[in-house]
């Protein structure tokens, strides 16, 4: 288990997102306060259009909030809706992303896709290669290191994507419907992988999902409805 | 940082190579145009370069013999030779010949006269055989004519034997050059059919009979030099070439000759200048415009290709941005691919040039500077095309990854 586990890695305070104004105003995300700790897997569920993706893009530092503050690892990133640090650097170092479709770079093989996340941050190629191989081997992909994404199965692609999201040991991993394209068995494998990786790497994993079959594998479930985020009580 | 451009190319190598081959073919046309122009200049100056001579004496008021037609009496060579400072004079003449062989094939060439015995053609770039050894019935022909040493060619009413074969000797219009003695060239030029000769002879007899000198030859002696004599001079030549004696001043000799009222005099450099400026200037401008058009088309094609290549990668570029890649990572990816495409196209163009330009019917002369200039143009086009792609690439939105 990673020594960071249990520490607060993500804190949102009064984060909101409003599109338009006057009669066309849409409150995509109402003021939201939320905290995630290293090692925990948090599922965010809710109907389409409820604001899940908006929340994800704000935490992913892709979409600026209208108001509120965001801290990663205790460091202020957004204060009163304004970025106070270099968001590109924060994305590179503190965040990892996994998507419904693996979105691997098609012209890079499995190992290159994973080590790219390190090399982008200036890690020497040899060191990055070693770490990528080690991680992929731990995910059961030792024989698929040189395979291009098109030659990998859906489950293999998602494991490579998770490796890419974890390789640089980010504080927060954001996953958008990561099991939607997988069958039930592989979906559970992916969620187990998130859980294991979160503990191993000391990251908080936020999973936006519609897949209720895997919710028993997460630590917390948050529900989003009409832009309001709330803790979902166990059924 | 791994080389993303090389990996992208490697992923679809056949497409990249096909694109480079297409662009390379386009570039080879640009190179060919340059080579054709250089070849035209060299071809155009083959004759003055071969004949040499410090001064060229031509018909008064003309810029001949390359820029326009010129006729001077062959005996002018003797008058010019008497001028102080003149070491040697040679007659110069050319004529275009189109000859049909027995098998129906047409030979077209320019016949150029060598001033026997001063000029036997020893300065010609002989690839086979020898220069002229006798004043009649021998030819030195260029390889482009397609006839070997020993071949016989019937011109006029005589058979001529090819005794030597040159390489790269063509006229400004691209026809191969064939050299004969000036007297043979004049004979071929003035050859008349037997019936034409008979009629001309009858005509002359008739004219003499009608003339007072024909009826009373003694009146010719009485009239002296004032008599309106029918001209019966030898056939004219095109120009007289003057070699100035060692130690004599070319300009001084030229000045002496320029005082004569029946001739114009040019230095060989002036003749070359007249030739290049007058004869091939229009072709040069035409080729220049065509080349500029090709470069423009290449620029548009290359820009479109790089733009399309960028569009194909937009999701990957968005992902790179989402992962926090710096702008220079994306800049390097796009520009490097564009430059690799340009350089590959350049190599294809060079390869096509090496393999195909020798097969062209006219000389295609590509020099190192032309190759360097093309490389410069291609690098410029690659960077410009890369900028087109880069503009699109930098607009890639990380949100696209989530929306995909």
């Amino acid at each position: 288990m990673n020594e960071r586990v249990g520490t607060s890695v993500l804190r949102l305070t009064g984060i909101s997102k409003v599109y338009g104004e006057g009669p066309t105003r849409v409150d995509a995300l109402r003021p939201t306060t939320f905290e995630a700790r290293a090692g925990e897997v948090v599922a965010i569920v809710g109907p389409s259009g409820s604001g899940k993706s908006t929340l994800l893009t704000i935490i992913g530092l892709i979409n600026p909030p209208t108001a509120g503050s965001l801290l990663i690892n205790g460091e202020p990133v957004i204060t009163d809706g304004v970025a106070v640090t270099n968001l590109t650097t924060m994305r590179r170092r503190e965040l990892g992303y996994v998507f419904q479709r693996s979105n691997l770079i098609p012209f890079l093989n499995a190992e290159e896709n994973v080590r790219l996340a390190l090399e982008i941050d200036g890690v020497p190629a040899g060191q990055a290669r070693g770490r990528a191989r080690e991680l992929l081997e731990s995910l059961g992909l030792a024989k698929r290191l040189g395979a291009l994404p098109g030659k990998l199965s859906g489950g293999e692609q998602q494991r490579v994507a998770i490796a890419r999201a974890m390789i640089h040991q980010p504080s927060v991993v954001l996953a958008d419907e990561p099991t939607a394209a997988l069958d039930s068995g592989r979906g559970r494998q992916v969620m187990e992988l998130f859980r294991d990786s979160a503990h191993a790497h000391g990251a908080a994993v936020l999973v936006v999902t519609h897949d209720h079959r895997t919710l028993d594998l997460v630590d917390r479930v948050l529900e989003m409805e009409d832009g309001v985020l709330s803790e979902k009580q166990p059924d | 940082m791994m080389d993303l451009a090389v990996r992208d190319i490697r992923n679809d190598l056949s497409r990249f190579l096909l694109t480079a081959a297409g662009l390379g073919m386009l570039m080879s046309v640009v190179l060919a145009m340059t080579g054709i122009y250089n070849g035209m200049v060299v071809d155009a100056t083959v004759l003055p370069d071969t004949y040499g001579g410090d001064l060229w004496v031509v018909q008064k008021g003309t810029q001949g013999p390359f820029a326009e037609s010129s006729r001077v009496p062959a005996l002018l060579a003797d008058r010019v030779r008497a001028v102080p400072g003149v070491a040697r004079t040679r007659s110069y003449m050319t004529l275009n010949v189109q000859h049909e062989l027995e098998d129906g094939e047409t030979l077209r060439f320019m016949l150029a006269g060598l001033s026997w015995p001063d000029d036997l053609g020893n300065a010609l770039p002989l690839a086979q055989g020898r220069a002229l050894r006798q004043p009649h019935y021998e030819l030195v022909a260029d390889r482009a004519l397609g006839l070997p040493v020993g071949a016989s060619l019937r011109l006029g009413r005589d058979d001529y034997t090819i005794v030597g074969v040159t390489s790269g000797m063509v006229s400004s219009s691209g026809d191969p050059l064939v050299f004969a003695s000036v007297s043979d060239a004049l004979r071929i030029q003035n050859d008349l059919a037997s019936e034409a000769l008979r009629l001309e002879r009858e005509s002359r007899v008739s004219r003499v009979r009608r003339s007072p000198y024909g009826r009373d030859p003694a009146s010719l002696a009485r009239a002296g030099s004032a008599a309106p004599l029918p001209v019966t001079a030898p056939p004219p030549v095109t120009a007289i070439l003057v070699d100035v004696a060692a130690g004599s001043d070319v300009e001084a000799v030229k000045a002496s000759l320029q005082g004569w009222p029946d001739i114009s005099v040019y230095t060989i450099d002036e003749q070359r200048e007249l030739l290049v400026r007058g004869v091939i200037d229009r072709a040069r401008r035409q080729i220049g415009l065509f080349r500029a058009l090709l470069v423009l088309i290449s620029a548009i094609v290359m820009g479109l290709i790089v733009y399309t290549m960028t569009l194909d990668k937009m999701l990957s570029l968005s992902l790179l941005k989402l992962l926090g890649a710096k702008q220079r990572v994306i800049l390097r990816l796009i520009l490097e691919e564009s430059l690799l495409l340009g350089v590959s196209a350049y190599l294809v163009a060079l390869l096509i040039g090496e393999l195909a330009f020798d097969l062209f019917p006219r000389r295609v002369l590509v020099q190192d500077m032309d190759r360097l200039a093309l490389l410069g143009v291609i690098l410029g086009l690659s960077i410009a095309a890369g900028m087109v792609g880069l503009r699109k690439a930098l607009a890639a939105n990380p949100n696209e990854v989530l929306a995909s």
Side-chain angles (χ1 to χ4, degrees), chain A residues 57 62 92 99 103 112 119, chain B residues 2 7 319 322 324 402:
Chain A
T57 56
I62 301 166
R92 189 164 64 231
F99 311 98
N103 276 331
E112 289 165 345
E119 291 192 28
Chain B
M2 71 179 80
R7 283 166 172 80
L319 188 61
L322 182 66
L402 295 175

Side-chain angles (χ1 to χ4, degrees), chain A residues 4 8-12 58-61 69-78 85 87 90-91 93-95 170-172:
Chain A
R4 276 202 311 193
S8 171
V9 289
L10 175 70
R11 176 183 287 275
L12 277 65
I58 288 171
I59 299 172
L61 308 180
S69 300
L70 188 151
L71 282 75
I72 295 179
N73 262 339
E75 183 185 339
V77 178
I78 292 169
T85 187
L87 299 186
M90 289 304 290
R91 281 206 303 267
R93 296 196 173 150
E94 300 293 351
L95 300 175
S171 300
V172 180

